Amino acid sequence: MRYLYYPGCSLKCTGRSYEESLLAVLKALKIDFVELNDWNCCGATAYMAVDESKAFAIASRNLALAEEQFKNEKEIHIIAPCSACYMVLLKTQNYLAHNAGEMKKIQSALKESGLSYEGKVKIRHPLDVLVNDFGLKEITKAVKHHLKGIKVASYYGCQTVRPLATFDDAREPVSMDELVRAIGAEPVDWPLKTRCCGASLTGIIEQVGLPLSYIILHEAAKRRADVVITACPLCQFNLECYQTEINKNYQNDLRIGVIYFSQLLGLALGISPKELGMQRLFVKPEGVYKAVKGGETVYV
Amino acid sequence: MYSTNGNNIPRIGFYICHCGHNIASIVDVVEVQKYAATLPGVTVSRDYKYMCSDPGQELIQQDIKEHNLNRIVVASCSPLLHEHTFRLAAEKAGLNPYYFHMVNVRENVSWVHDNKEQATEKAKDLARAAIKRVFFHKPLEKKTVQIKPDVLIVGGGIAGIHSALTIANAGKHVYLVEREPTIGGHMAMFDKTFPTLDCAACILTPKMSAVKSHPNITLWTYSEVEKIDGFVGNYKATIKRKPRYVNEELCVGCLDCIEACIYKEAKYPDEFNLGLSKRKPIYIPFPQATPQVVLFDPETCIDFKSHRCKKTCIEACERNAIDLKQTAKFEEIEVGTVIISTGFKTYDPKLSPQYGYGKLPNVYTSLEIERLVNASGPTAGEVVTRDGKKPESVGIIHCVGSRDEKSNKWCSRVCCMYSLKLAHLIKEHTGAEVYNFYIDMRTPGKGYEEFYDKFMNEGVHFIRGRVAEVTDWALVPEEENKLTIRVEDTLIGVVRRIPVDMVVLSVGLEPREDASEIRRMFNISCSSEGFFLERHPKLAPVNTFTDGIFIAGACQGPKDIPDTVAQAGAAAEALSLISAGKIELEPNTAQVIEKYCSGCKSCIPLCPYTAISFKEDIKKAYINEALCKGCGTCVAACPSGSITQNMFEDEQIFSEIEGLLKFAGIELEEKEVEHA
Ligand SMILES: Cc1cc2nc3c(=O)[nH]c(=O)nc-3n(C[C@H](O)[C@H](O)[C@H](O)COP(=O)(O)OP(=O)(O)OC[C@H]3O[C@@H](n4cnc5c(N)ncnc54)[C@H](O)[C@@H]3O)c2cc1C
């Protein structure tokens, strides 16, 4: 099966290494995909709060484009890796499916640009595709470096599995832990998987955002995680880039790698850190590097 | 024999009821009455204030005699309410009651319309349809069946126990079948019971032993109903008695064998204590278990696995009661009525992972706490956490698996009350600070609000809000090594974090896992959430849609003990059937016209009441009229049209439709009605 790939804005800038690593992994596993032509910003969460109709129109344009581009395929599955994009697309689809009035408005807006949206497209998270379509057994078979002894804190952030995802439990998601196990590493049992990192507040009102990130990093360190993996560009940014700031505020010396789950998976599959965009990290996940021995791995 | 009043030319009496203002305020009853008088076949047409009243009924009876009426149509309320009344009235006047037909101009007309003119027209149409229909009515005979006096009760919780004793005390024989090795159900697990805080054992165990010793009760524990067929008054059941590997007649419950077991230490999770203590492979569920008979668990007994045990238990048994070769026994019984009292199960809190049950060791279910506070429980009544510490603070979370879109939508009715009880008992046993986290406190019942009041004054804390999570991550040093309960306190509008040593989840009540199998076996219904469905929520709360099968207790819906015991009045329903000795069956049953039946069998699996069988010798379907409920499924499904149903024959239905079609503007040719 061929997937459509919808990067969203983050994966082209701050979250570049998410795109690099995810695409490298998809290629390594021979998962066929093609980028959505002429895609636009999903509107993110901010737009929803300002003007819902416009927000739905912006997001649904991507869904309409997907139906157009894949009109000859049996099924249309679109991979949305950024958790905000994923949630916004799901929310749009769900809202339009249950709200005929809004749907009519959106249809007429899309028609202006020669598009139409039928609701056929399936919005997929890459975790869902890897764990459920490709399968954990197949992943284990493809592993070149079993990440023995590495303790991993799986961190979803608030949007990945909430409120509309169906591939995992919203209160106690397990797909990332299963993936971690499939590549030989050890998931740490911790209760903050879906707690908010502070999101955009960290950039605006630091005194609200920072403590939220601190809570997550502190608990991960306390549970002896070697690395935190995440599926959200904003979470990755907040948790990694503000560590110095957090240490200053809380008289601490936290230093813990925060990487994309696709980077960890890529390392296990024998892809070089460079191809996975890991040279862009501020905090090097030393423990993980040490575990990756032999093979063609080039250390950065 | 009923008369048809001389001849078969219909002489119809039509009556329309005012029902006070209920009908007359919207339907012009006089106009309908006058209109009906003009229709062919109508001899008498009247309107009256209350047709169901005694004078109303007498009016019909008098007319039958005076005017030689042989068909009666009453336009009033729903047939569910008064069909029986009017049939009886007709019967008393000597007319076969099935010459009567009822039209609903209240629920179907006056209560649902507000345009007087149109409502009156509709009433006329319905009246005309009924008048056309009764031309083809036939006299029918009710069948009576005898009721066997013995009763089968399935489930020996407090509901089953109370029903069994009521019936046995009335001199009738009861077979009480309980799946577990002892009767008592959930109540046997409790220490004290709300709202009186009296000791559960003190009130329950005397009833349990009364069951055991009652000459009119045959008690089969560790048993299940394997099969049941038949119909009201005449059920045949097969009961499977699972092997205990101990002869029940010989064992006196001295427990010497348990002492003598070669396992010196108890090693296996004790089911009755929900795994909070251990038992040996030979055990008795609890000291007051009824019957006082031990049993073996073949899964854990060495001899069942390797046949190489020294069998010290057998040596120790002076009465030679142990029989390791025992096999399941099957008993065949015949009963007239059945009471199902299989109770409930509690919600599995692992399905609400945010509360950490199964992961965080000091999170307990309410049922586990019932065992912990129990003087004869695993800790002899001492409340300690799994790491052996006495808790200084305890949080009780209400509505786990109740009133929740994600799990069960219903209120489980007993949790607020038992949470109060547990708060009190925990405080009494440990002196801990106790927090109740509730959405709404629901304490309706005699003495219940007073119970709530008492514990508020005792210093138990009440925090209003659905708990978000129970977690072991600490935000501040006071939370280290504690369980933190995160909740929005909706009364003061802040999110609170409350560190405690022990968390109790007040789990809701659910249908048993096998409720749908029981439903199928006994041919009863379940409501959408899976509890057994009563025939009428107010007026027939213990009856089911299958005659002779009753339900009692928490299997019908969440209930506390007082309500459960009240429901054990199912016994009274069974007794009233028994003392009547026989029951009349409605004749609206279906019959196979053998001449036309092709023996295709397509009707057989469709019958929801398993009333249809196949006569192999003549290769025709056969309908047992005692089982048939007149649902009409087979009639509609028969490809050769060879099944007919009394009161729903083709010509009756077609003429009724004709009567209605006239309204739709399709004036049908007035056919010469054949007065068959
Ligand atoms: C934690 C907790 C505390 C409570 N505290 C109180 C209290 O203090 N006061 C109060 O009034 N109420 C209390 N209740 C409610 C009380 O438990 C019920 O009202 C009562 O147990 C209902 O009795 P029952 O006989 O209908 O069901 P159950 O007690 O569930 O008994 C049903 C019996 O049927 C048996 N059975 C089930 N299926 C089959 C089958 N297929 N074949 C044969 N046998 C079968 C079971 O083994 C069981 O013995 C509490 C409930 C809970 C969960």
Side-chain angles (χ1 to χ4, degrees):
Chain A
M1 185 166 78
R2 209 150 72 111
Y3 296 90
L4 268 170
Y5 164 59
Y6 171 67
C9 331
S10 294
L11 271 78
K12 294 292 180 189
C13 41
T14 46
R16 216 164 128 189
S17 54
Y18 191 4
E19 170 165 84
E20 289 164 333
S21 56
L22 181 64
L23 301 192
V25 163
L26 294 180
K27 279 180 195 140
L29 296 176
K30 303 204 167 52
I31 296 175
D32 194 11
F33 67 92
V34 49
E35 188 168 317
L36 180 66
N37 292 333
D38 195 30
W39 57 268
N40 56 269
C41 167
C42 72
T45 44
Y47 219 126
M48 287 265 172
V50 182
D51 184 336
E52 268 200 349
S53 283
K54 284 204 190 98
F56 287 136
I58 292 171
S60 61
R61 179 171 180 275
N62 293 309
L63 300 176
L65 285 173
E67 290 184 355
E68 165 74 22
Q69 187 170 344
F70 263 27
K71 62 173 179 279
N72 296 327
E73 305 272 331
K74 261 213 318 259
E75 287 184 59
I76 311 171
H77 290 244
I78 187 165
I79 300 179
C82 164
S83 54
C85 296
Y86 178 65
M87 196 272 281
V88 167
L89 294 186
L90 277 179
K91 187 167 168 178
T92 303
Q93 183 163 63
N94 190 52
Y95 191 84
L96 295 184
H98 294 106
N99 195 327
E102 195 67 30
M103 178 74 161
K104 227 166 133 190
K105 258 206 267 179
I106 300 295
Q107 288 292 19
S108 72
L110 289 172
K111 211 170 149 203
E112 290 287 307
S113 47
L115 288 169
S116 78
Y117 165 62
E118 284 182 45
K120 281 194 297 201
V121 49
K122 291 204 171 63
I123 298 147
R124 308 287 305 273
H125 194 277
L127 260 176
D128 179 17
V129 169
L130 286 166
V131 172
N132 297 318
D133 289 9
F134 190 74
L136 293 166
K137 279 212 185 96
E138 290 301 310
I139 288 176
T140 306
K141 270 195 231 157
V143 165
K144 295 222 170 68
H145 307 297
H146 286 273
L147 301 179
K148 284 256 149 40
I150 292 291
K151 287 187 154 182
V152 183
S154 307
Y155 178 65
Y156 295 75
C158 33
Q159 295 181 331
T160 312
V161 288
R162 255 192 327 232
L164 293 167
T166 48
F167 73 92
D168 210 335
D169 190 281
R171 298 156 297 183
E172 173 67 14
V174 291
S175 51
M176 257 201 251
D177 287 350
E178 287 170 355
L179 186 68
V180 165
R181 261 185 226 108
I183 59 177
E186 183 193 333
V188 296
D189 175 24
W190 76 316
L192 303 184
K193 286 175 175 176
T194 59
R195 228 190 121 83
C196 174
C197 69
S200 48
L201 283 174
T202 311
I204 314 164
I205 322 173
E206 221 173 63
Q207 65 275 30
V208 174
L210 279 192
L212 295 176
S213 289
Y214 165 70
I215 286 168
I216 291 160
L217 291 171
H218 176 74
E219 195 64 22
K222 198 169 131 195
R223 308 229 175 196
R224 307 207 178 287
D226 295 304
V227 65
V228 176
I229 58 169
T230 173
C232 171
L234 188 53
C235 295
Q236 197 279 335
F237 182 81
N238 277 346
L239 294 181
E240 194 200 23
C241 304
Y242 282 91
Q243 286 192 13
T244 326
E245 225 27 55
I246 288 171
N247 284 336
K248 248 197 276 166
N249 272 277
Y250 294 95
Q251 283 96 45
N252 223 312
D253 56 349
L254 286 168
R255 200 168 165 75
I256 181 166
V258 181
I259 65 175
Y260 293 106
F261 74 92
S262 44
Q263 291 177 315
L264 189 74
L265 175 57
L267 289 175
L269 296 176
I271 303 169
S272 76
K274 191 142 194 187
E275 281 174 88
L276 298 168
M278 296 181 79
Q279 71 279 16
R280 298 184 211 286
L281 293 170
F282 289 122
V283 184
K284 305 281 175 235
E286 301 294 349
V288 181
Y289 286 155
K290 267 185 221 142
V292 186
K293 288 193 199 105
E296 302 130 49
T297 310
V298 188
Y299 296 99
V300 253
Chain B
M1 250 338 273
Y2 301 111
S3 83
T4 54
N5 257 3
N7 56 53
N8 256 333
I9 310 232
R11 295 178 59 79
I12 303 170
F14 175 81
Y15 303 85
I16 182 160
C17 179
H18 296 217
C19 195
H21 294 296
N22 272 306
I23 297 171
S25 66
I26 296 289
V27 174
D28 185 339
V29 288
V30 179
E31 195 184 322
V32 178
Q33 176 267 108
K34 284 188 182 142
Y35 171 72
T38 67
L39 295 176
V42 176
T43 311
V44 176
S45 180
R46 295 185 198 279
D47 61 281
Y48 190 72
K49 221 161 179 73
Y50 291 106
M51 281 310 298
C52 61
S53 65
D54 280 348
Q57 294 181 48
E58 272 159 28
L59 201 61
I60 300 177
Q61 290 167 343
Q62 221 175 330
D63 285 346
I64 291 177
K65 285 178 196 141
E66 243 166 61
H67 297 278
N68 230 10
L69 300 182
N70 57 17
R71 303 284 194 280
I72 303 292
V73 174
V74 175
S76 58
C77 52
S78 161
L80 277 179
L81 215 60
H82 279 307
E83 185 174 62
H84 189 68
T85 315
F86 295 124
R87 276 197 185 144
L88 218 63
E91 193 172 5
K92 275 193 195 141
L95 192 67
N96 183 294
Y98 298 93
Y99 279 129
F100 162 80
H101 191 70
M102 192 158 178
V103 184
N104 185 353
V105 292
R106 195 179 71 176
E107 283 86 339
N108 288 356
V109 182
S110 67
W111 278 1
V112 289
H113 296 301
D114 45 22
N115 181 319
K116 211 168 160 172
E117 212 171 295
Q118 290 176 355
T120 305
E121 284 308 307
K122 182 171 171 185
K124 283 188 199 163
D125 296 327
L126 292 173
R128 188 177 53 240
I131 288 165
K132 284 215 160 216
R133 183 189 216 277
V134 288
F135 272 66
F136 297 97
H137 274 212
K138 291 178 180 158
L140 297 168
E141 295 295 326
K142 280 189 225 161
K143 298 206 168 47
T144 51
V145 293
Q146 300 300 312
I147 305 285
K148 293 219 161 73
D150 293 357
V151 183
L152 166 64
I153 298 181
V154 187
I158 182 62
I161 290 174
H162 194 82
S163 308
L165 288 171
T166 310
I167 294 168
N169 288 340
K172 304 295 173 201
H173 194 87
V174 175
Y175 297 95
L176 178 57
V177 175
E178 164 61 51
R179 167 187 291 165
E180 300 295 329
T182 172
I183 53 172
H186 283 95
M187 190 176 167
M189 302 170 85
F190 309 153
D191 183 43
K192 298 207 164 122
T193 53
F194 68 73
T196 42
L197 286 184
D198 42 2
C199 144
C202 313
I203 55 178
L204 181 64
T205 45
K207 283 184 142 243
M208 287 163 61
S209 47
V211 164
K212 177 73 193 128
S213 56
H214 205 296
N216 286 339
I217 299 179
T218 305
L219 174 62
W220 287 324
T221 52
Y222 213 41
S223 303
E224 273 170 56
V225 180
E226 180 93 345
K227 206 176 121 200
I228 180 150
D229 16 58
F231 48 90
V232 56
N234 299 272
Y235 290 106
K236 274 200 181 73
T238 309
I239 313 297
K240 178 181 180 182
R241 300 177 64 191
K242 293 173 276 187
R244 304 169 92 102
Y245 306 105
V246 170
N247 187 326
E248 246 180 80
E249 265 71 65
L250 297 177
C251 177
V252 288
C254 69
L255 312 188
D256 286 352
C257 52
I258 301 180
E259 186 63 35
C261 174
I262 62 153
Y263 280 118
K264 285 295 153 238
E265 295 292 324
K267 281 177 58 168
Y268 302 101
D270 178 341
E271 293 86 354
F272 189 76
N273 280 330
L274 306 165
L276 294 170
S277 68
K278 304 269 195 279
R279 61 154 171 81
K280 293 184 178 180
I282 181 163
Y283 67 105
I284 187 156
F286 63 104
Q288 297 86 5
T290 305
Q292 278 280 307
V293 177
V294 296
L295 74 156
F296 278 84
D297 170 14
E299 297 292 313
T300 51
C301 171
I302 301 186
D303 202 60
F304 283 88
K305 287 194 277 191
S306 67
H307 302 291
R308 291 229 293 273
C309 183
K310 281 197 285 191
K311 302 191 182 69
T312 39
C313 54
I314 296 185
E315 278 167 35
C317 180
E318 285 178 10
R319 296 176 54 88
N320 288 327
I322 297 176
D323 172 10
L324 297 176
K325 298 218 164 55
Q326 203 176 54
T327 51
K329 245 176 51 199
F330 293 88
E331 313 269 0
E332 309 266 337
I333 54 172
E334 291 189 6
V335 296
T337 45
V338 180
I339 297 175
I340 298 174
S341 49
T342 48
F344 64 94
K345 80 172 171 55
T346 47
Y347 173 72
D348 174 7
K350 286 198 179 124
L351 301 174
S352 299
Q354 69 271 33
Y355 298 142
Y357 183 79
K359 219 160 116 180
L360 304 171
N362 291 332
V363 177
Y364 292 80
T365 66
S366 47
L367 213 48
E368 287 171 335
I369 300 296
E370 290 283 355
R371 294 310 298 150
L372 277 190
V373 296
N374 197 309
S376 61
T379 52
E382 216 184 315
V383 179
V384 285
T385 58
R386 283 209 166 82
D387 33 20
K389 282 197 294 235
K390 198 166 162 182
E392 287 169 9
S393 50
V394 179
I396 302 181
I397 302 179
H398 293 214
C399 298
V400 178
S402 301
R403 303 185 69 199
D404 178 8
E405 293 279 331
K406 292 204 175 71
S407 52
N408 298 326
K409 283 191 186 162
W410 61 87
C411 166
S412 294
R413 283 190 57 190
V414 297
C415 320
C416 281
M417 285 297 285
Y418 78 56
S419 298
L420 288 168
K421 169 184 78 174
L422 292 177
H424 166 77
L425 293 176
I426 291 170
K427 218 170 159 58
E428 189 179 76
H429 287 235
T430 63
E433 287 299 329
V434 182
Y435 301 87
N436 269 276
F437 300 88
Y438 68 99
I439 315 180
D440 298 295
M441 284 304 291
R442 296 194 163 175
T443 54
K446 197 171 171 183
Y448 287 17
E449 188 67 15
E450 293 87 328
F451 190 75
Y452 174 26
D453 241 26
K454 191 165 125 199
F455 298 128
M456 274 210 278
N457 293 328
E458 213 173 65
V460 174
H461 306 281
F462 290 87
I463 296 174
R464 186 174 185 271
R466 185 187 278 286
V467 169
E469 66 174 346
V470 175
T471 177
D472 62 344
W473 69 270
L475 185 62
V476 289
E478 298 80 68
E479 292 176 4
E480 294 291 348
N481 300 318
K482 297 253 184 190
L483 294 170
T484 299
I485 296 176
R486 243 170 29 102
V487 62
E488 181 189 359
D489 185 330
T490 56
L491 292 182
I492 53 173
V494 296
V495 174
R496 295 176 70 177
R497 296 176 61 90
I498 297 183
V500 294
D501 295 319
M502 181 185 235
V503 169
V504 182
L505 304 179
S506 295
V507 283
L509 275 54
E510 289 186 334
R512 295 242 175 217
E513 285 101 343
D514 64 343
S516 66
E517 281 152 51
I518 297 286
R519 179 192 74 77
R520 237 172 287 131
M521 184 188 291
F522 289 93
N523 220 333
I524 58 178
S525 314
C526 288
S527 40
S528 59
E529 74 284 0
F531 290 110
F532 298 140
L533 186 67
E534 63 284 346
R535 185 179 285 181
H536 190 284
K538 285 163 241 167
L539 301 180
V542 297
N543 299 65
T544 65
F545 288 95
T546 301
D547 288 328
I549 312 253
F550 305 96
I551 47 179
C555 62
Q556 179 263 353
K559 254 177 221 74
D560 55 17
I561 297 166
D563 283 2
T564 297
V565 170
Q567 267 225 330
E573 297 276 347
L575 279 172
S576 87
L577 264 184
I578 298 168
S579 57
K582 57 186 192 316
I583 183 174
E584 284 186 332
L585 301 178
E586 277 301 318
N588 60 342
T589 50
Q591 305 93 30
V592 176
I593 309 170
E594 281 187 357
K595 191 159 62 162
Y596 301 139
C597 175
S598 67
C600 75
K601 298 188 187 172
S602 50
C603 54
I604 295 173
L606 291 177
C607 177
Y609 306 99
T610 51
I612 313 180
S613 54
F614 193 68
K615 281 190 179 163
E616 281 300 341
D617 49 344
I618 52 167
K619 303 253 178 290
K620 306 273 180 196
Y622 166 75
I623 297 173
N624 180 340
E625 286 191 48
L627 286 177
C628 175
K629 290 254 170 253
C631 71
T633 311
C634 58
V635 186
C638 177
S640 59
S642 56
I643 305 182
T644 59
Q645 184 180 348
N646 291 343
M647 292 156 67
F648 293 94
E649 289 179 23
D650 285 356
E651 50 189 3
Q652 295 169 345
I653 293 174
F654 288 148
S655 55
E656 192 173 1
I657 294 172
E658 268 175 29
L660 279 176
L661 284 180
K662 195 158 173 184
F663 151 71
I666 312 168
E667 290 280 346
L668 293 169
E669 254 174 67
E670 198 63 51
K671 266 194 304 204
E672 193 53 43
V673 187
E674 216 179 282
H675 296 153

